[in-house]
Amino acid sequence: MIDISPSVMQFLLAFVVAAPLLGAAAALLPAPPGLKGRSPQQAVLRHGVTVTGVILAAAIALTLGFDHDAPSRFQATTDISWIQALNVRIHLGIDGISLPLLLMTALLFFLCAVYSYFKLPAGPSPKAFVALLLVLESGTLATFTVLDLLLFFLAFEMVLIPMYFLIARWGGAQRQAAAWKFILFTLLGSVVMLLGLLLIGLNSGTFDMVALASDNGRELTYTTQLLAVLAIGIGLAVKTPMWPLHSWLPDAHTAAPTVGSVLLAGVLLKMGTYGFIRILLPITPDGMRTFAPYLGAFAAIGIVYGSLACLALARKGNKGDLKRLIAYSSVGHMGFVLLGIATMTPTGVNGALFANIAHGLITGLLFFLVGALKDRYGTADLDTLAGATGAALYGRAPRFGAFLAFAAVASLGLPGLAGFWGEMLALFGAFDPAEGLSRPAFLTYMAIGGFGALLTAAYLLIVVRRVCMGDPKAESAAPVALADIQHYEFAAWTPLVALTVLAGLWPAVLLGLTNPAVQKLLAGGTS
């Protein structure tokens, strides 16, 4: 920890949230003559790298100045009255739950900006692309830092329009249909969620999340809590995505440009599970206790469903799209996150938070790799990539093959890498759920989750064998020239590899932040 004054910490957090919006506005302005470089396009892309880099530096400074001896206390707080008639306040703050998500979000946006500087997806104006990327960053960072229910809703909704346009204007085949499906699912879920948020705020007399969490639902009747959990939970479940509300995700990922898929998997999906932890667990505990067994059941089904879908796509002759396969894998991985939340125990919730970070790092890396592979071959079709003229990465691009194999074994939960700890803790939480929850039911969910983990290993190893080794039975043909990892790809992907190893070998770095905050949150004292 570095001694940084509270006022500077407060400024840094406000800067992290607001700076992307200022950067988005500046991106739409003409570039000064001295900064154009070889072209105006290069100037605006450099602007995106600079703004996201400054935001990442501010997030790192926040991390260094954060009091790691008190991660359960909200720090760098801003609390200003905004709409007095509704008692809505501009209330910002970070604790051990939100800080890792804030830092990962800033990192992924910076890496996406670096990648886009060298590999801009085909589409209309680069200015619009950079501006949308920065608006998206502001919305996601705000979601993890605001402490007012209505501000949370505004930040939650703020990401929808930029992501819609990133898919619709810079995506691949079927991008319009995928973008419409994304916006309709998420908007309908958000309307229901808003009703639940208003129900809590109007019945308790405040929208302040800290005050509501400290009260631990004592001001809300059991019926109010049930209705709030049902309404808010539907909106959050769509964004997570929870089976069976997941059907927008594979289409969105398949059509999205590479950086869109990275951010969708690495950041946007975390907003839904974060809402479960930050809002529903502490504010409506009685309602959550009633719905937790059902949430656990949907999570367990999602784990197996996602894995079976991936197995089907990985089979030879099924013309499975590799981006679609990884999208379905997210349904399974986020099932472990939801299972951990459903246990309502410190072990399970810590596992959910760890799995959130691990999934963001690992699946973000997988989408980077598959996007680069698609750029080289013009397709992500697994049968094509595994054929005689296909990838065979170990022989044709060994560094690329090593990165893909690493990401796959990390995603299947290999011990020593980040993917292991979150899923293991979620299963441990299901072994001994919170008081009042059915242990036989959660033991069943644990067994189903363990079976799903085996299926995950099966389809990922099939993918590695087919893409990295090729098809030994295919007829020989002239090999396709394949570029190995380029310098900008190495720069964008290596940090994700390093953090995956660090979190896997030293999980106490993350758990030391989240555990005290989770303990206090579940006890009803997050002030």
Side-chain angles (χ1 to χ4, degrees):
M1 172 185 171
I2 297 176
D3 188 15
I4 300 178
S5 68
S7 59
V8 174
M9 290 285 286
Q10 184 183 48
F11 168 78
L12 284 172
L13 184 58
F15 175 82
V16 162
V17 173
L21 288 179
L22 300 176
L28 298 175
L29 300 175
L35 297 178
K36 285 186 178 180
R38 291 193 298 271
S39 69
Q41 173 177 314
Q42 185 190 46
V44 73
L45 293 174
R46 189 191 304 117
H47 171 78
V49 173
T50 302
V51 173
T52 54
V54 170
I55 293 165
L56 175 60
I60 293 172
L62 272 172
T63 304
L64 295 175
F66 188 82
D67 184 358
H68 292 261
D69 293 327
S72 61
R73 175 173 57 86
F74 283 108
Q75 303 177 35
T77 54
T78 298
D79 192 1
I80 304 169
S81 179
W82 184 34
I83 305 175
Q84 292 185 355
L86 295 176
N87 195 23
V88 177
R89 308 183 68 81
I90 298 177
H91 193 181
L92 306 176
I94 52 173
D95 66 352
I97 293 173
S98 51
L99 179 62
L101 290 166
L102 178 85
L103 192 59
M104 183 183 71
T105 299
L107 173 66
L108 284 175
F109 271 94
F110 173 67
L111 297 180
C112 285
V114 171
Y115 189 84
S116 299
Y117 180 80
F118 294 95
K119 193 69 178 180
L120 181 69
S125 166
K127 286 188 173 186
F129 178 84
V130 172
L132 289 169
L133 205 66
L134 292 174
V135 173
L136 184 66
E137 181 174 23
S138 181
T140 52
L141 290 170
T143 300
F144 299 134
T145 57
V146 295
L147 298 173
D148 183 277
L149 290 179
L150 289 187
L151 278 183
F152 177 86
F153 176 77
L154 292 177
F156 200 83
E157 294 304 287
M158 185 176 167
V159 306
L160 301 185
I161 299 303
M163 181 53 72
Y164 166 81
F165 280 110
L166 285 174
I167 296 172
R169 303 301 298 275
W170 284 271
Q174 305 296 319
R175 59 181 182 268
Q176 291 290 345
W180 274 111
K181 197 170 185 180
F182 163 77
I183 199 75
L184 288 175
F185 264 79
T186 49
L187 274 179
L188 288 174
S190 297
V191 169
V192 180
M193 184 176 75
L194 177 60
L195 296 177
L197 296 174
L198 291 174
L199 183 65
I200 290 175
L202 297 177
N203 276 275
S204 61
T206 181
F207 289 95
D208 187 270
M209 292 160 66
V210 178
L212 288 166
S214 298
D215 184 67
N216 205 216
R218 285 183 287 270
E219 292 294 323
L220 301 173
T221 66
Y222 177 66
T223 302
T224 300
Q225 290 195 36
L226 281 181
L227 292 173
V229 170
L230 183 61
I232 298 172
I234 289 173
L236 297 174
V238 170
K239 187 66 71 73
T240 296
M242 181 185 78
W243 179 92
L245 303 174
H246 69 283
S247 60
W248 61 270
L249 183 71
D251 292 341
H253 269 309
T254 304
T258 297
V259 295
S261 292
V262 171
L263 296 174
L264 186 58
V267 180
L268 266 67
L269 302 190
K270 313 303 175 282
M271 295 165 63
T273 52
Y274 176 79
F276 275 103
I277 295 170
R278 179 64 77 199
I279 298 174
L280 295 185
L281 281 178
I283 297 176
T284 56
D286 295 334
M288 268 298 291
R289 194 168 288 107
T290 299
F291 281 106
Y294 303 102
L295 180 62
F298 285 128
I301 294 171
I303 292 170
V304 175
Y305 171 84
S307 299
L308 291 175
C310 290
L311 273 174
L313 290 170
R315 286 184 61 187
K316 183 178 180 180
N318 283 1
K319 307 295 289 183
D321 186 284
L322 200 47
K323 288 188 73 175
R324 195 173 190 86
L325 184 148
I326 298 172
Y328 273 110
S329 78
S330 291
V331 176
H333 288 305
M334 297 311 289
F336 282 102
V337 177
L338 290 172
L339 179 60
I341 294 170
T343 68
M344 299 184 69
T345 62
T347 301
V349 176
N350 275 303
L353 289 167
F354 204 108
N356 256 344
I357 299 298
H359 179 265
L361 297 174
I362 297 167
T363 307
L365 176 60
L366 278 169
F367 274 117
F368 266 136
L369 289 162
V370 174
L373 198 59
K374 187 174 182 178
D375 288 338
R376 286 160 167 78
Y377 276 94
T379 181
D381 177 73
L382 196 53
D383 287 341
T384 301
L385 295 174
T389 59
L393 292 178
Y394 287 154
R396 296 178 186 165
R399 287 185 299 171
F400 203 126
F403 267 76
L404 182 60
F406 171 85
V409 297
S411 185
L412 63 82
L414 184 73
L417 298 176
F420 170 74
W421 294 104
E423 295 182 3
M424 184 194 71
L425 289 172
L427 294 177
F428 276 4
F431 180 77
D432 188 16
E435 185 179 352
L437 298 180
S438 170
R439 191 168 186 233
F442 276 87
L443 286 174
T444 303
Y445 305 153
M446 183 190 74
I448 294 173
F451 177 65
L454 293 176
L455 295 178
T456 301
Y459 72 73
L460 284 169
L461 291 175
I462 290 172
V463 167
V464 170
R465 178 181 61 79
R466 297 192 68 196
V467 177
C468 293
M469 301 178 185
D471 187 352
K473 296 181 180 180
E475 296 180 5
S476 60
V480 174
L482 183 67
D484 210 334
I485 293 179
Q486 305 297 301
H487 65 281
Y488 67 92
E489 295 171 333
F490 190 81
W493 303 344
T494 302
L496 300 179
V497 172
L499 289 172
T500 299
V501 174
L502 176 64
L505 296 179
W506 196 10
V509 173
L510 184 54
L511 293 174
L513 280 174
T514 62
N515 185 53
V518 167
Q519 296 277 359
K520 199 169 186 180
L521 179 139
L522 292 176
T526 56
S527 60

